[in-house]
Amino acid sequence: MALINIEYGSLASSETMNSNFQYLDDKISDVSSSFTTSISSVSSNIATVNSNLSNLSDRLDDTADELEGLIEEANTSVTTSLMLPDWSGCISISKPNEYEVPANGYVLINPQAQGSGNLIINDVTVYLKYRGHENDNSAQLVPYPVKKGDIVTCNVNITAVYFLPVVEEISADNEEENNDV
């Protein structure tokens, strides 16, 4: 049904007036219903966006926590693998004859000037001092990195042998100093 046009100055019947009012009432109801549906749709979309943002926020928090843990683990790994010498713990040892290394650190060996021979760490042989000529009488302190539990032996005449442990933990102050280098 549509609006019935009432000409200016004419008398309209109550039926015509009621039909026009009914038509307008139906249109208002349709528009109101359409707005309500649109508002519901927008509200639903907003709820979906909020839910997605909440999920993303949770995932970002979880990822940030995971990254923080990985960074802490990496810092610990780097700190423990720096092999910074702890000179206050340096000890003199007798000639390494099946010497078991007590901690991560260095074995410092000063071979005799006229000596030559090998260093053996865990059954792996490396040259310690090679004397290629009778006038080759050089000798210097040689550091070898070792880890806890390594077995060190030597078949060279030795002047001195030391075990130099590494720093176990680095404080935040020392870490900042090391980063400034």
Side-chain angles (χ1 to χ4, degrees):
M1 171 173 136
L3 276 176
I4 300 171
N5 193 15
I6 302 172
E7 290 186 27
Y8 181 73
S10 65
L11 292 178
S13 69
S14 59
E15 180 184 346
T16 303
M17 293 295 289
N18 286 338
S19 293
N20 281 347
F21 288 137
Q22 185 63 42
Y23 175 80
L24 291 174
D25 188 45
D26 290 344
K27 283 295 183 186
I28 290 171
S29 293
D30 289 347
V31 169
S32 175
S33 176
S34 176
F35 279 146
T36 301
T37 301
S38 294
I39 288 171
S40 293
S41 177
V42 168
S43 294
S44 174
N45 289 341
I46 289 172
T48 301
V49 167
N50 283 340
S51 175
N52 289 342
L53 286 174
S54 177
N55 289 341
L56 284 173
S57 177
D58 290 344
R59 286 178 33 201
L60 283 174
D61 287 344
D62 292 345
T63 301
D65 290 344
E66 184 179 327
L67 286 175
E68 187 174 306
L70 289 172
I71 289 170
E72 186 174 319
E73 183 180 315
N75 282 340
T76 300
S77 176
V78 167
T79 299
T80 58
S81 65
L82 285 177
M83 295 287 287
L84 296 174
D86 181 7
W87 287 101
S88 65
C90 187
I91 59 170
S92 178
I93 57 176
S94 63
K95 179 180 176 181
N97 186 9
E98 297 291 319
Y99 178 71
E100 183 171 347
V101 178
N104 293 345
Y106 299 90
V107 172
L108 308 173
I109 301 175
N110 190 2
Q112 286 185 350
Q114 295 83 14
S116 70
N118 301 320
L119 179 70
I120 301 131
I121 301 176
N122 297 333
D123 297 323
V124 176
T125 302
V126 293
Y127 283 119
L128 173 61
K129 183 164 187 314
Y130 176 75
R131 189 170 188 223
H133 189 273
E134 66 183 42
N135 293 328
D136 182 2
N137 294 322
S138 66
Q140 59 186 359
L141 190 64
V142 181
Y144 288 90
V146 290
K147 70 180 185 326
K148 181 177 181 174
D150 283 347
I151 304 296
V152 178
T153 59
C154 183
N155 61 12
V156 175
N157 290 330
I158 302 241
T159 303
V161 181
Y162 303 94
F163 173 70
L164 176 61
V166 295
V167 175
E168 291 296 323
E169 290 185 24
I170 297 177
S171 69
D173 295 337
N174 287 343
E175 192 170 320
E176 287 174 12
E177 289 172 12
N178 292 330
N179 290 337
D180 291 342
V181 175

